Amino acid sequence: MSIIIGEVSIPADDQGFVLLQCPLCGEFFKVRPRDYQADDVIEIWCPSCGLKAENYFTDDVLELAFKKTRNYAYDLIHNELKQLERKFKGSFVSFKAGKKPTHEEEYPINYGIEALEVIKYPCCKREAKIKPIYILCGSYCPFCGVRYEEY
């Protein structure tokens, strides 16, 4: 059984790229959501270190998802306690659920990293945004992992 709590919206920049972060090397890069979710893209490689990871969500995205989950769980627990309070009302056992817990603020994600440049990877005919230094020194295609030294 799974419960869908809500969605975490990851904003795109003016060119339609979303910010990702490699959990292995910590470098930021951007790809378009349609490329990230394409059927022919099985895995994503970090353009910087060339390694694959389970996910590339930034700390902001994960933090917002955890806040939404905690807020939802606190509401579920409080609602169950309120039901117990009503069940025992008027009996020889008293139970008080207490006040409803306050929610953690769920601030929308807002990215300011714009120091990334668009690069087109000829192998996959897709674009990504990476740091300019990796354009000069070489990078890995995020969609197939091929290393490119010069552009």
Side-chain angles (χ1 to χ4, degrees), residues 33-43 126 143:
R34 70 173 183 262
D35 293 335
Y36 188 85
Q37 299 169 341
D39 290 338
D40 61 335
V41 175
I42 298 168
E43 296 178 293
R126 290 190 166 102
F143 310 105

Side-chain angles (χ1 to χ4, degrees), residues 5 7 13 28 58-59 64-65 69 77 88 93 99 108 118 151:
I5 295 170
E7 292 182 0
D13 64 12
F28 291 99
T58 63
D59 291 340
L64 181 57
T69 304
I77 292 167
F88 288 116
V93 176
K99 62 181 182 177
V118 176
Y151 295 93

Side-chain angles (χ1 to χ4, degrees), residues 17-88:
F17 291 90
V18 294
L19 185 66
L20 302 174
Q21 183 178 22
C22 177
L24 305 169
C25 70
E27 289 293 335
F28 291 99
F29 63 100
K30 291 183 177 184
V31 297
R32 288 192 175 99
R34 70 173 183 262
D35 293 335
Y36 188 85
Q37 299 169 341
D39 290 338
D40 61 335
V41 175
I42 298 168
E43 296 178 293
I44 297 291
W45 282 260
C46 173
S48 172
C49 68
L51 299 174
K52 298 178 279 187
E54 291 253 341
N55 71 66
Y56 292 91
F57 297 124
T58 63
D59 291 340
D60 292 342
V61 171
L62 295 174
E63 182 180 334
L64 181 57
F66 287 135
K67 283 183 180 181
K68 285 181 174 282
T69 304
R70 277 193 299 269
N71 288 340
Y72 182 76
Y74 293 154
D75 287 345
L76 283 178
I77 292 167
H78 182 72
N79 291 340
E80 289 298 318
L81 292 175
K82 287 302 272 183
Q83 286 181 4
L84 282 175
E85 182 180 319
R86 284 190 288 276
K87 183 177 179 179
F88 288 116

